[in-house]
Amino acid sequence: MFQYVLHCFGDDDCVKILRRCKEAIPARDAGGKVIIINMVIGSGSQRDIFKETQVLFDLYMMYIDGVEREEKEWENIFSKAGFSAYKIMPILGFLSIIEVYP
Ligand SMILES: C[S@@+](CC[C@H](N)C(=O)[O-])C[C@H]1O[C@@H](n2cnc3c(N)ncnc32)[C@H](O)[C@@H]1O
């Protein structure tokens, strides 16, 4: 599980990290998955209170030279890392839980 971590890394490093995860976890039918808690731009609550927090996160991303991603960008990373499917659950305010399956 990666919580607030992958947005610290560029796409190529995310692919490397997730490839290693895929090597380490069981097959999907045996319960294997990677859980990511991060922002998915365009998903999540649009309530003003969360938009304000999102702006603070944007400042944090500038500070750490990080990146928040849209679904297409996440999908591209998961596919390059060799994963077959994913599910985005936008249930944590402006954050989402993403399950990624081998
Ligand atoms: C915002 S913190 C999240 C920590 C924890 N997962 C949590 O939810 O409280 C981001 C974490 O990523 C780690 N991190 C960022 N860039 C890293 C790198 N290049 N190598 C290893 N760890 C890194 C930081 O040290 C930090 O612990």
Side-chain angles (χ1 to χ4, degrees):
M1 178 177 140
F2 297 99
Q3 175 175 276
Y4 307 129
V5 170
L6 293 181
H7 62 186
C8 300
F9 292 88
D11 288 7
D12 291 347
D13 284 331
C14 284
V15 170
K16 280 187 207 162
I17 292 165
L18 290 172
R19 270 192 193 137
R20 294 298 298 270
C21 292
K22 185 165 178 276
E23 288 167 16
I25 61 176
R28 182 175 183 176
D29 56 9
K33 64 182 161 188
V34 175
I35 299 172
I36 298 167
I37 298 179
N38 238 144
M39 194 186 298
V40 178
I41 296 171
S43 299
S45 172
Q46 296 302 306
R47 285 177 54 202
D48 283 350
I49 183 80
F50 294 124
K51 283 187 186 160
E52 288 170 13
T53 316
Q54 218 168 311
V55 169
L56 288 176
F57 259 73
D58 288 346
L59 289 174
Y60 176 57
M61 286 300 104
M62 287 168 68
Y63 174 67
I64 66 167
D65 198 20
V67 56
E68 300 294 3
R69 297 179 168 93
E70 299 174 353
E71 178 173 353
K72 273 280 161 210
E73 295 169 308
W74 282 115
E75 185 181 18
N76 188 39
I77 287 168
F78 302 151
S79 155
K80 281 186 178 162
F83 287 83
S84 65
Y86 64 91
K87 181 166 74 175
I88 294 174
M89 293 166 277
I91 57 173
L92 294 175
F94 66 100
L95 295 170
S96 293
I97 298 175
I98 314 173
E99 289 189 349
V100 195
Y101 308 109

PDB file of all heavy atoms in Angstrom, residues 1-7 14 18 21 33-40 74 77-78 83 86-89 92 95-100:
ATOM      1  N   MET A   1       0.838  -1.184   0.000  1.00  0.00           N
ATOM      2  CA  MET A   1       0.000   0.000   0.000  1.00  0.00           C
ATOM      3  C   MET A   1       0.885   1.251   0.000  1.00  0.00           C
ATOM      4  O   MET A   1       1.874   1.300   0.731  1.00  0.00           O
ATOM      5  CB  MET A   1      -0.883  -0.009   1.247  1.00  0.00           C
ATOM      6  CG  MET A   1      -1.743   1.216   1.355  1.00  0.00           C
ATOM      7  SD  MET A   1      -2.837   1.132   2.774  1.00  0.00           S
ATOM      8  CE  MET A   1      -2.741   2.797   3.331  1.00  0.00           C
ATOM      9  N   PHE A   2       0.511   2.202  -0.847  1.00  0.00           N
ATOM     10  CA  PHE A   2       1.229   3.476  -0.914  1.00  0.00           C
ATOM     11  C   PHE A   2       0.248   4.607  -0.601  1.00  0.00           C
ATOM     12  O   PHE A   2      -0.689   4.833  -1.364  1.00  0.00           O
ATOM     13  CB  PHE A   2       1.799   3.717  -2.316  1.00  0.00           C
ATOM     14  CG  PHE A   2       2.830   2.717  -2.745  1.00  0.00           C
ATOM     15  CD1 PHE A   2       2.495   1.657  -3.574  1.00  0.00           C
ATOM     16  CD2 PHE A   2       4.148   2.842  -2.322  1.00  0.00           C
ATOM     17  CE1 PHE A   2       3.453   0.744  -3.970  1.00  0.00           C
ATOM     18  CE2 PHE A   2       5.113   1.931  -2.713  1.00  0.00           C
ATOM     19  CZ  PHE A   2       4.757   0.878  -3.536  1.00  0.00           C
ATOM     20  N   GLN A   3       0.474   5.280   0.501  1.00  0.00           N
ATOM     21  CA  GLN A   3      -0.392   6.409   0.843  1.00  0.00           C
ATOM     22  C   GLN A   3       0.410   7.691   0.746  1.00  0.00           C
ATOM     23  O   GLN A   3       1.411   7.853   1.464  1.00  0.00           O
ATOM     24  CB  GLN A   3      -0.934   6.233   2.259  1.00  0.00           C
ATOM     25  CG  GLN A   3      -1.747   7.433   2.742  1.00  0.00           C
ATOM     26  CD  GLN A   3      -2.381   7.198   4.096  1.00  0.00           C
ATOM     27  OE1 GLN A   3      -3.435   6.617   4.172  1.00  0.00           O
ATOM     28  NE2 GLN A   3      -1.703   7.634   5.161  1.00  0.00           N
ATOM     29  N   TYR A   4      -0.012   8.597  -0.103  1.00  0.00           N
ATOM     30  CA  TYR A   4       0.689   9.876  -0.337  1.00  0.00           C
ATOM     31  C   TYR A   4       2.149   9.649  -0.718  1.00  0.00           C
ATOM     32  O   TYR A   4       3.011  10.413  -0.280  1.00  0.00           O
ATOM     33  CB  TYR A   4       0.688  10.761   0.916  1.00  0.00           C
ATOM     34  CG  TYR A   4      -0.622  11.049   1.553  1.00  0.00           C
ATOM     35  CD1 TYR A   4      -0.792  10.836   2.909  1.00  0.00           C
ATOM     36  CD2 TYR A   4      -1.682  11.566   0.833  1.00  0.00           C
ATOM     37  CE1 TYR A   4      -1.981  11.111   3.534  1.00  0.00           C
ATOM     38  CE2 TYR A   4      -2.885  11.845   1.454  1.00  0.00           C
ATOM     39  CZ  TYR A   4      -3.025  11.621   2.799  1.00  0.00           C
ATOM     40  OH  TYR A   4      -4.206  11.898   3.423  1.00  0.00           O
ATOM     41  N   VAL A   5       2.448   8.648  -1.473  1.00  0.00           N
ATOM     42  CA  VAL A   5       3.849   8.364  -1.813  1.00  0.00           C
ATOM     43  C   VAL A   5       4.118   8.538  -3.310  1.00  0.00           C
ATOM     44  O   VAL A   5       5.054   9.249  -3.696  1.00  0.00           O
ATOM     45  CB  VAL A   5       4.255   6.934  -1.362  1.00  0.00           C
ATOM     46  CG1 VAL A   5       5.624   6.556  -1.920  1.00  0.00           C
ATOM     47  CG2 VAL A   5       4.257   6.840   0.160  1.00  0.00           C
ATOM     48  N   LEU A   6       3.278   7.926  -4.166  1.00  0.00           N
ATOM     49  CA  LEU A   6       3.628   7.900  -5.591  1.00  0.00           C
ATOM     50  C   LEU A   6       3.587   9.285  -6.236  1.00  0.00           C
ATOM     51  O   LEU A   6       4.202   9.500  -7.278  1.00  0.00           O
ATOM     52  CB  LEU A   6       2.730   6.909  -6.352  1.00  0.00           C
ATOM     53  CG  LEU A   6       2.960   5.442  -5.962  1.00  0.00           C
ATOM     54  CD1 LEU A   6       2.046   4.522  -6.772  1.00  0.00           C
ATOM     55  CD2 LEU A   6       4.411   5.024  -6.129  1.00  0.00           C
ATOM     56  N   HIS A   7       2.900  10.232  -5.605  1.00  0.00           N
ATOM     57  CA  HIS A   7       2.910  11.588  -6.182  1.00  0.00           C
ATOM     58  C   HIS A   7       4.263  12.278  -5.960  1.00  0.00           C
ATOM     59  O   HIS A   7       4.502  13.356  -6.489  1.00  0.00           O
ATOM     60  CB  HIS A   7       1.748  12.450  -5.658  1.00  0.00           C
ATOM     61  CG  HIS A   7       1.759  12.690  -4.199  1.00  0.00           C
ATOM     62  ND1 HIS A   7       0.738  13.344  -3.540  1.00  0.00           N
ATOM     63  CD2 HIS A   7       2.664  12.389  -3.240  1.00  0.00           C
ATOM     64  CE1 HIS A   7       1.017  13.424  -2.260  1.00  0.00           C
ATOM     65  NE2 HIS A   7       2.187  12.856  -2.054  1.00  0.00           N
ATOM     66  N   CYS A  14       7.625   5.542 -10.879  1.00  0.00           N
ATOM     67  CA  CYS A  14       6.390   4.846 -10.454  1.00  0.00           C
ATOM     68  C   CYS A  14       6.290   3.491 -11.147  1.00  0.00           C
ATOM     69  O   CYS A  14       5.927   2.493 -10.526  1.00  0.00           O
ATOM     70  CB  CYS A  14       5.150   5.680 -10.787  1.00  0.00           C
ATOM     71  SG  CYS A  14       4.879   7.053  -9.677  1.00  0.00           S
ATOM     72  N   LEU A  18       6.176  -0.028  -9.163  1.00  0.00           N
ATOM     73  CA  LEU A  18       5.015  -0.919  -9.281  1.00  0.00           C
ATOM     74  C   LEU A  18       5.373  -2.244  -9.940  1.00  0.00           C
ATOM     75  O   LEU A  18       4.776  -3.275  -9.622  1.00  0.00           O
ATOM     76  CB  LEU A  18       3.886  -0.203 -10.035  1.00  0.00           C
ATOM     77  CG  LEU A  18       3.247   0.935  -9.227  1.00  0.00           C
ATOM     78  CD1 LEU A  18       2.278   1.739 -10.089  1.00  0.00           C
ATOM     79  CD2 LEU A  18       2.525   0.404  -7.993  1.00  0.00           C
ATOM     80  N   CYS A  21       6.495  -4.340  -7.197  1.00  0.00           N
ATOM     81  CA  CYS A  21       5.324  -4.783  -6.412  1.00  0.00           C
ATOM     82  C   CYS A  21       4.673  -5.975  -7.091  1.00  0.00           C
ATOM     83  O   CYS A  21       4.302  -6.952  -6.440  1.00  0.00           O
ATOM     84  CB  CYS A  21       4.296  -3.663  -6.288  1.00  0.00           C
ATOM     85  SG  CYS A  21       4.832  -2.299  -5.286  1.00  0.00           S
ATOM     86  N   LYS A  33      -3.063  -7.547  -4.915  1.00  0.00           N
ATOM     87  CA  LYS A  33      -3.384  -6.198  -5.407  1.00  0.00           C
ATOM     88  C   LYS A  33      -2.464  -5.195  -4.743  1.00  0.00           C
ATOM     89  O   LYS A  33      -1.892  -5.475  -3.685  1.00  0.00           O
ATOM     90  CB  LYS A  33      -4.844  -5.829  -5.140  1.00  0.00           C
ATOM     91  CG  LYS A  33      -5.234  -5.735  -3.692  1.00  0.00           C
ATOM     92  CD  LYS A  33      -6.723  -5.403  -3.569  1.00  0.00           C
ATOM     93  CE  LYS A  33      -7.232  -5.748  -2.187  1.00  0.00           C
ATOM     94  NZ  LYS A  33      -8.674  -5.628  -2.064  1.00  0.00           N
ATOM     95  N   VAL A  34      -2.318  -4.040  -5.385  1.00  0.00           N
ATOM     96  CA  VAL A  34      -1.614  -2.909  -4.778  1.00  0.00           C
ATOM     97  C   VAL A  34      -2.673  -1.858  -4.480  1.00  0.00           C
ATOM     98  O   VAL A  34      -3.558  -1.610  -5.305  1.00  0.00           O
ATOM     99  CB  VAL A  34      -0.546  -2.330  -5.736  1.00  0.00           C
ATOM    100  CG1 VAL A  34       0.100  -1.086  -5.133  1.00  0.00           C
ATOM    101  CG2 VAL A  34       0.512  -3.373  -6.064  1.00  0.00           C
ATOM    102  N   ILE A  35      -2.593  -1.266  -3.296  1.00  0.00           N
ATOM    103  CA  ILE A  35      -3.549  -0.221  -2.925  1.00  0.00           C
ATOM    104  C   ILE A  35      -2.815   1.117  -2.898  1.00  0.00           C
ATOM    105  O   ILE A  35      -1.763   1.231  -2.258  1.00  0.00           O
ATOM    106  CB  ILE A  35      -4.173  -0.519  -1.543  1.00  0.00           C
ATOM    107  CG1 ILE A  35      -4.927  -1.848  -1.591  1.00  0.00           C
ATOM    108  CG2 ILE A  35      -5.095   0.615  -1.111  1.00  0.00           C
ATOM    109  CD1 ILE A  35      -5.404  -2.329  -0.228  1.00  0.00           C
ATOM    110  N   ILE A  36      -3.370   2.081  -3.601  1.00  0.00           N
ATOM    111  CA  ILE A  36      -2.769   3.420  -3.666  1.00  0.00           C
ATOM    112  C   ILE A  36      -3.777   4.432  -3.147  1.00  0.00           C
ATOM    113  O   ILE A  36      -4.936   4.438  -3.583  1.00  0.00           O
ATOM    114  CB  ILE A  36      -2.389   3.768  -5.129  1.00  0.00           C
ATOM    115  CG1 ILE A  36      -1.344   2.778  -5.652  1.00  0.00           C
ATOM    116  CG2 ILE A  36      -1.878   5.202  -5.229  1.00  0.00           C
ATOM    117  CD1 ILE A  36      -1.144   2.859  -7.156  1.00  0.00           C
ATOM    118  N   ILE A  37      -3.350   5.243  -2.210  1.00  0.00           N
ATOM    119  CA  ILE A  37      -4.201   6.352  -1.745  1.00  0.00           C
ATOM    120  C   ILE A  37      -3.537   7.637  -2.207  1.00  0.00           C
ATOM    121  O   ILE A  37      -2.412   7.955  -1.807  1.00  0.00           O
ATOM    122  CB  ILE A  37      -4.376   6.331  -0.217  1.00  0.00           C
ATOM    123  CG1 ILE A  37      -5.059   5.038   0.196  1.00  0.00           C
ATOM    124  CG2 ILE A  37      -5.180   7.555   0.249  1.00  0.00           C
ATOM    125  CD1 ILE A  37      -5.265   4.894   1.694  1.00  0.00           C
ATOM    126  N   ASN A  38      -4.207   8.308  -3.108  1.00  0.00           N
ATOM    127  CA  ASN A  38      -3.645   9.516  -3.723  1.00  0.00           C
ATOM    128  C   ASN A  38      -4.770  10.273  -4.414  1.00  0.00           C
ATOM    129  O   ASN A  38      -5.898   9.794  -4.478  1.00  0.00           O
ATOM    130  CB  ASN A  38      -2.601   9.129  -4.774  1.00  0.00           C
ATOM    131  CG  ASN A  38      -1.220   9.727  -4.503  1.00  0.00           C
ATOM    132  OD1 ASN A  38      -0.214   9.087  -4.769  1.00  0.00           O
ATOM    133  ND2 ASN A  38      -1.155  10.911  -3.971  1.00  0.00           N
ATOM    134  N   MET A  39      -4.437  11.422  -4.940  1.00  0.00           N
ATOM    135  CA  MET A  39      -5.433  12.162  -5.687  1.00  0.00           C
ATOM    136  C   MET A  39      -5.551  11.603  -7.111  1.00  0.00           C
ATOM    137  O   MET A  39      -4.551  11.175  -7.683  1.00  0.00           O
ATOM    138  CB  MET A  39      -5.019  13.636  -5.753  1.00  0.00           C
ATOM    139  CG  MET A  39      -6.133  14.538  -6.206  1.00  0.00           C
ATOM    140  SD  MET A  39      -5.575  16.235  -6.428  1.00  0.00           S
ATOM    141  CE  MET A  39      -5.055  16.675  -4.784  1.00  0.00           C
ATOM    142  N   VAL A  40      -6.769  11.565  -7.639  1.00  0.00           N
ATOM    143  CA  VAL A  40      -6.981  11.308  -9.062  1.00  0.00           C
ATOM    144  C   VAL A  40      -7.699  12.551  -9.570  1.00  0.00           C
ATOM    145  O   VAL A  40      -8.870  12.773  -9.234  1.00  0.00           O
ATOM    146  CB  VAL A  40      -7.833  10.043  -9.303  1.00  0.00           C
ATOM    147  CG1 VAL A  40      -8.080   9.847 -10.801  1.00  0.00           C
ATOM    148  CG2 VAL A  40      -7.168   8.812  -8.699  1.00  0.00           C
ATOM    149  N   TRP A  74      -2.579   7.686 -14.577  1.00  0.00           N
ATOM    150  CA  TRP A  74      -2.429   6.508 -13.703  1.00  0.00           C
ATOM    151  C   TRP A  74      -2.524   5.238 -14.534  1.00  0.00           C
ATOM    152  O   TRP A  74      -1.726   4.304 -14.387  1.00  0.00           O
ATOM    153  CB  TRP A  74      -3.516   6.503 -12.620  1.00  0.00           C
ATOM    154  CG  TRP A  74      -3.283   7.442 -11.469  1.00  0.00           C
ATOM    155  CD1 TRP A  74      -4.038   8.529 -11.134  1.00  0.00           C
ATOM    156  CD2 TRP A  74      -2.244   7.373 -10.485  1.00  0.00           C
ATOM    157  NE1 TRP A  74      -3.529   9.139 -10.015  1.00  0.00           N
ATOM    158  CE2 TRP A  74      -2.433   8.441  -9.597  1.00  0.00           C
ATOM    159  CE3 TRP A  74      -1.169   6.508 -10.284  1.00  0.00           C
ATOM    160  CZ2 TRP A  74      -1.583   8.678  -8.503  1.00  0.00           C
ATOM    161  CZ3 TRP A  74      -0.316   6.738  -9.201  1.00  0.00           C
ATOM    162  CH2 TRP A  74      -0.538   7.809  -8.334  1.00  0.00           C
ATOM    163  N   ILE A  77       0.603   4.348 -16.331  1.00  0.00           N
ATOM    164  CA  ILE A  77       1.630   3.821 -15.422  1.00  0.00           C
ATOM    165  C   ILE A  77       1.320   2.361 -15.069  1.00  0.00           C
ATOM    166  O   ILE A  77       2.202   1.501 -15.115  1.00  0.00           O
ATOM    167  CB  ILE A  77       1.695   4.697 -14.145  1.00  0.00           C
ATOM    168  CG1 ILE A  77       2.352   6.033 -14.481  1.00  0.00           C
ATOM    169  CG2 ILE A  77       2.448   3.980 -13.022  1.00  0.00           C
ATOM    170  CD1 ILE A  77       2.221   7.069 -13.382  1.00  0.00           C
ATOM    171  N   PHE A  78       0.066   2.078 -14.735  1.00  0.00           N
ATOM    172  CA  PHE A  78      -0.305   0.702 -14.345  1.00  0.00           C
ATOM    173  C   PHE A  78      -0.062  -0.254 -15.515  1.00  0.00           C
ATOM    174  O   PHE A  78       0.447  -1.359 -15.323  1.00  0.00           O
ATOM    175  CB  PHE A  78      -1.777   0.625 -13.925  1.00  0.00           C
ATOM    176  CG  PHE A  78      -2.136   1.531 -12.772  1.00  0.00           C
ATOM    177  CD1 PHE A  78      -3.428   2.042 -12.633  1.00  0.00           C
ATOM    178  CD2 PHE A  78      -1.190   1.867 -11.813  1.00  0.00           C
ATOM    179  CE1 PHE A  78      -3.757   2.874 -11.575  1.00  0.00           C
ATOM    180  CE2 PHE A  78      -1.513   2.712 -10.753  1.00  0.00           C
ATOM    181  CZ  PHE A  78      -2.805   3.206 -10.645  1.00  0.00           C
ATOM    182  N   PHE A  83       0.318  -4.305 -14.990  1.00  0.00           N
ATOM    183  CA  PHE A  83      -0.939  -4.649 -14.313  1.00  0.00           C
ATOM    184  C   PHE A  83      -2.075  -4.731 -15.340  1.00  0.00           C
ATOM    185  O   PHE A  83      -2.038  -4.060 -16.378  1.00  0.00           O
ATOM    186  CB  PHE A  83      -1.258  -3.614 -13.227  1.00  0.00           C
ATOM    187  CG  PHE A  83      -0.369  -3.744 -12.023  1.00  0.00           C
ATOM    188  CD1 PHE A  83       0.889  -3.169 -11.995  1.00  0.00           C
ATOM    189  CD2 PHE A  83      -0.778  -4.471 -10.917  1.00  0.00           C
ATOM    190  CE1 PHE A  83       1.731  -3.305 -10.890  1.00  0.00           C
ATOM    191  CE2 PHE A  83       0.046  -4.618  -9.813  1.00  0.00           C
ATOM    192  CZ  PHE A  83       1.303  -4.037  -9.799  1.00  0.00           C
ATOM    193  N   TYR A  86      -7.599  -2.024 -12.864  1.00  0.00           N
ATOM    194  CA  TYR A  86      -7.568  -1.188 -11.659  1.00  0.00           C
ATOM    195  C   TYR A  86      -8.984  -0.712 -11.363  1.00  0.00           C
ATOM    196  O   TYR A  86      -9.871  -0.756 -12.229  1.00  0.00           O
ATOM    197  CB  TYR A  86      -6.635   0.020 -11.845  1.00  0.00           C
ATOM    198  CG  TYR A  86      -7.088   0.975 -12.901  1.00  0.00           C
ATOM    199  CD1 TYR A  86      -7.924   2.057 -12.593  1.00  0.00           C
ATOM    200  CD2 TYR A  86      -6.719   0.796 -14.225  1.00  0.00           C
ATOM    201  CE1 TYR A  86      -8.357   2.930 -13.565  1.00  0.00           C
ATOM    202  CE2 TYR A  86      -7.151   1.660 -15.214  1.00  0.00           C
ATOM    203  CZ  TYR A  86      -7.959   2.725 -14.873  1.00  0.00           C
ATOM    204  OH  TYR A  86      -8.405   3.588 -15.853  1.00  0.00           O
ATOM    205  N   LYS A  87      -9.170  -0.273 -10.123  1.00  0.00           N
ATOM    206  CA  LYS A  87     -10.483   0.277  -9.734  1.00  0.00           C
ATOM    207  C   LYS A  87     -10.233   1.530  -8.905  1.00  0.00           C
ATOM    208  O   LYS A  87      -9.457   1.477  -7.935  1.00  0.00           O
ATOM    209  CB  LYS A  87     -11.260  -0.765  -8.918  1.00  0.00           C
ATOM    210  CG  LYS A  87     -12.646  -0.292  -8.495  1.00  0.00           C
ATOM    211  CD  LYS A  87     -13.531  -1.442  -8.002  1.00  0.00           C
ATOM    212  CE  LYS A  87     -13.120  -1.923  -6.645  1.00  0.00           C
ATOM    213  NZ  LYS A  87     -13.999  -2.940  -6.058  1.00  0.00           N
ATOM    214  N   ILE A  88     -10.857   2.637  -9.298  1.00  0.00           N
ATOM    215  CA  ILE A  88     -10.713   3.890  -8.550  1.00  0.00           C
ATOM    216  C   ILE A  88     -11.948   4.090  -7.693  1.00  0.00           C
ATOM    217  O   ILE A  88     -13.069   4.059  -8.194  1.00  0.00           O
ATOM    218  CB  ILE A  88     -10.537   5.086  -9.512  1.00  0.00           C
ATOM    219  CG1 ILE A  88      -9.212   4.961 -10.265  1.00  0.00           C
ATOM    220  CG2 ILE A  88     -10.592   6.411  -8.745  1.00  0.00           C
ATOM    221  CD1 ILE A  88      -9.006   6.020 -11.337  1.00  0.00           C
ATOM    222  N   MET A  89     -11.724   4.302  -6.391  1.00  0.00           N
ATOM    223  CA  MET A  89     -12.848   4.564  -5.481  1.00  0.00           C
ATOM    224  C   MET A  89     -12.654   5.956  -4.872  1.00  0.00           C
ATOM    225  O   MET A  89     -11.818   6.130  -3.980  1.00  0.00           O
ATOM    226  CB  MET A  89     -12.872   3.482  -4.390  1.00  0.00           C
ATOM    227  CG  MET A  89     -13.223   2.121  -4.965  1.00  0.00           C
ATOM    228  SD  MET A  89     -12.866   0.777  -3.817  1.00  0.00           S
ATOM    229  CE  MET A  89     -11.130   0.527  -4.107  1.00  0.00           C
ATOM    230  N   LEU A  92     -12.564   9.302  -0.342  1.00  0.00           N
ATOM    231  CA  LEU A  92     -11.858   9.940   0.775  1.00  0.00           C
ATOM    232  C   LEU A  92     -11.766  11.443   0.538  1.00  0.00           C
ATOM    233  O   LEU A  92     -10.679  12.004   0.455  1.00  0.00           O
ATOM    234  CB  LEU A  92     -10.439   9.353   0.918  1.00  0.00           C
ATOM    235  CG  LEU A  92     -10.329   7.887   1.327  1.00  0.00           C
ATOM    236  CD1 LEU A  92      -8.863   7.444   1.297  1.00  0.00           C
ATOM    237  CD2 LEU A  92     -10.897   7.680   2.722  1.00  0.00           C
ATOM    238  N   LEU A  95      -9.426  12.721  -2.129  1.00  0.00           N
ATOM    239  CA  LEU A  95      -8.514  11.600  -2.405  1.00  0.00           C
ATOM    240  C   LEU A  95      -9.294  10.380  -2.880  1.00  0.00           C
ATOM    241  O   LEU A  95     -10.492  10.260  -2.641  1.00  0.00           O
ATOM    242  CB  LEU A  95      -7.743  11.217  -1.142  1.00  0.00           C
ATOM    243  CG  LEU A  95      -6.780  12.262  -0.597  1.00  0.00           C
ATOM    244  CD1 LEU A  95      -6.293  11.848   0.774  1.00  0.00           C
ATOM    245  CD2 LEU A  95      -5.608  12.453  -1.551  1.00  0.00           C
ATOM    246  N   SER A  96      -8.578   9.478  -3.542  1.00  0.00           N
ATOM    247  CA  SER A  96      -9.179   8.223  -3.987  1.00  0.00           C
ATOM    248  C   SER A  96      -8.358   7.051  -3.474  1.00  0.00           C
ATOM    249  O   SER A  96      -7.154   7.173  -3.253  1.00  0.00           O
ATOM    250  CB  SER A  96      -9.206   8.157  -5.517  1.00  0.00           C
ATOM    251  OG  SER A  96     -10.082   9.114  -6.050  1.00  0.00           O
ATOM    252  N   ILE A  97      -9.042   5.925  -3.313  1.00  0.00           N
ATOM    253  CA  ILE A  97      -8.354   4.653  -3.127  1.00  0.00           C
ATOM    254  C   ILE A  97      -8.330   3.992  -4.504  1.00  0.00           C
ATOM    255  O   ILE A  97      -9.371   3.861  -5.144  1.00  0.00           O
ATOM    256  CB  ILE A  97      -9.093   3.747  -2.126  1.00  0.00           C
ATOM    257  CG1 ILE A  97      -9.143   4.419  -0.755  1.00  0.00           C
ATOM    258  CG2 ILE A  97      -8.417   2.383  -2.042  1.00  0.00           C
ATOM    259  CD1 ILE A  97      -9.970   3.636   0.272  1.00  0.00           C
ATOM    260  N   ILE A  98      -7.131   3.609  -4.933  1.00  0.00           N
ATOM    261  CA  ILE A  98      -7.019   2.891  -6.219  1.00  0.00           C
ATOM    262  C   ILE A  98      -6.528   1.483  -5.911  1.00  0.00           C
ATOM    263  O   ILE A  98      -5.488   1.314  -5.267  1.00  0.00           O
ATOM    264  CB  ILE A  98      -6.003   3.562  -7.167  1.00  0.00           C
ATOM    265  CG1 ILE A  98      -6.195   5.073  -7.219  1.00  0.00           C
ATOM    266  CG2 ILE A  98      -6.103   2.951  -8.568  1.00  0.00           C
ATOM    267  CD1 ILE A  98      -5.099   5.802  -8.012  1.00  0.00           C
ATOM    268  N   GLU A  99      -7.279   0.495  -6.358  1.00  0.00           N
ATOM    269  CA  GLU A  99      -6.808  -0.885  -6.279  1.00  0.00           C
ATOM    270  C   GLU A  99      -6.286  -1.260  -7.654  1.00  0.00           C
ATOM    271  O   GLU A  99      -6.972  -1.047  -8.658  1.00  0.00           O
ATOM    272  CB  GLU A  99      -7.938  -1.825  -5.867  1.00  0.00           C
ATOM    273  CG  GLU A  99      -8.338  -1.646  -4.410  1.00  0.00           C
ATOM    274  CD  GLU A  99      -9.304  -2.725  -3.917  1.00  0.00           C
ATOM    275  OE1 GLU A  99      -9.830  -3.496  -4.753  1.00  0.00           O
ATOM    276  OE2 GLU A  99      -9.547  -2.767  -2.702  1.00  0.00           O
ATOM    277  N   VAL A 100      -5.083  -1.829  -7.680  1.00  0.00           N
ATOM    278  CA  VAL A 100      -4.448  -2.196  -8.951  1.00  0.00           C
ATOM    279  C   VAL A 100      -4.184  -3.697  -8.923  1.00  0.00           C
ATOM    280  O   VAL A 100      -3.599  -4.215  -7.963  1.00  0.00           O
ATOM    281  CB  VAL A 100      -3.125  -1.425  -9.151  1.00  0.00           C
ATOM    282  CG1 VAL A 100      -2.676  -1.539 -10.597  1.00  0.00           C
ATOM    283  CG2 VAL A 100      -3.269   0.033  -8.762  1.00  0.00           C
TER     284      VAL A 100
END
